Amino acid sequence: AQSVTQLDSQVPVFEEAPVELRCNYSSSVSVYLFWYVQYPNQGLQLLLKYLSGSTLVKGINGFEAEFNKSQTSFHLRKPSVHISDTAEYFCAVSLPSSNTGKLIFGQGTTLQVKP
Amino acid sequence: EAGVTQFPSHSVIEKGQTVTLRCDPISGHDNLYWYRRVMGKEIKFLLHFVKESKQDESGMPNNRFLAERTGGTYSTLKVQPAELEDSGVYFCASSPAGGVASYNEQFFGPGTRLTVL
């Protein structure tokens, strides 16, 4: 079975500082990897995804993530955060072999950007 | 273009009552998913529709939950009778047809917060 672990439940950071949100997954088969963000009172929105190819993936709002197969990690980074990045971030996987596309989520990380 | 909408946004019911949640996917999206997040836990998959057919309902907790998608448009998720442990946020998501479902972007609604007292 697959599982996703987000190592930090909350990450406080000052505005304009860099941030890394950590995500590790467990799977005996290949997976696709996703990061979603949920702003207050909104649905989840896709930030970026890794399907294949270059291990460095760039997403919206200046975020990027790097797939590391040997460490089974997919950490999310941003070099300089804004107040507006305050939200909850979810790492998720799906199975390429699946015919459903269901997502398996981590527990979420709340990013708190302070002025 | 309208996004995924869910109704109601909040619902508070007594244990033993029935509640029906509704999801309207993005027009033309054949894939429709239901997920649930119990407080403090991860978001978990409940089931997946392709048009009006249930493709995967492996995440449905028990037979108190019934999902339908009449005509392949909107979907309802009924909980009958509701129990305390059913409290949580229920998310609906949709994605377009074609390609491989597992890498299509899923578009999420804002969720329905269900509280069972």
Side-chain angles (χ1 to χ4, degrees), chain A residues 32 34 36 38 41-44 46 49 51 88 90 94-103 105-108, chain B residues 31 33 35 37 40-45 48 55-56 58 91 100-110:
Chain A
Y32 293 142
F34 304 81
Y36 280 84
Q38 185 182 23
N41 301 316
Q42 295 185 28
L44 280 72
L46 182 67
K49 62 183 178 183
L51 306 180
E88 190 163 17
F90 297 92
S94 70
L95 297 181
S97 57
S98 168
N99 62 352
T100 76
K102 68 181 180 184
L103 294 168
F105 285 92
Q107 298 91 332
Chain B
N31 293 295
Y33 302 84
Y35 294 88
R37 189 182 194 192
K41 301 287 186 66
E42 68 272 23
I43 300 169
K44 285 195 171 180
F45 168 81
H48 169 216
Q55 186 75 17
D56 181 355
S58 61
F91 292 101
V100 177
S102 55
Y103 64 65
N104 282 341
E105 177 180 356
Q106 293 182 25
F107 295 83
F108 282 78

Side-chain angles (χ1 to χ4, degrees), chain B residues 3-64:
Chain B
V4 177
T5 57
Q6 294 186 245
F7 182 82
S9 57
H10 294 82
S11 180
V12 181
I13 61 172
E14 300 277 338
K15 175 183 171 181
Q17 289 185 323
T18 297
V19 63
T20 300
L21 313 181
R22 174 171 170 144
C23 168
D24 286 77
I26 293 173
S27 178
H29 280 193
D30 286 352
N31 293 295
L32 188 148
Y33 302 84
W34 283 98
Y35 294 88
R36 176 175 74 171
R37 189 182 194 192
V38 172
M39 186 176 291
K41 301 287 186 66
E42 68 272 23
I43 300 169
K44 285 195 171 180
F45 168 81
L46 296 178
L47 87 159
H48 169 216
F49 284 99
V50 178
K51 297 185 180 179
E52 66 276 8
S53 299
K54 293 176 185 175
Q55 186 75 17
D56 181 355
E57 51 185 328
S58 61
M60 294 288 266
N62 51 61
N63 58 11
R64 295 186 294 103

Side-chain angles (χ1 to χ4, degrees), chain B residues 81-110:
Chain B
E83 298 288 346
L84 299 178
E85 64 264 25
D86 300 332
S87 294
V89 180
Y90 290 76
F91 292 101
C92 176
S94 70
S95 70
V100 177
S102 55
Y103 64 65
N104 282 341
E105 177 180 356
Q106 293 182 25
F107 295 83
F108 282 78

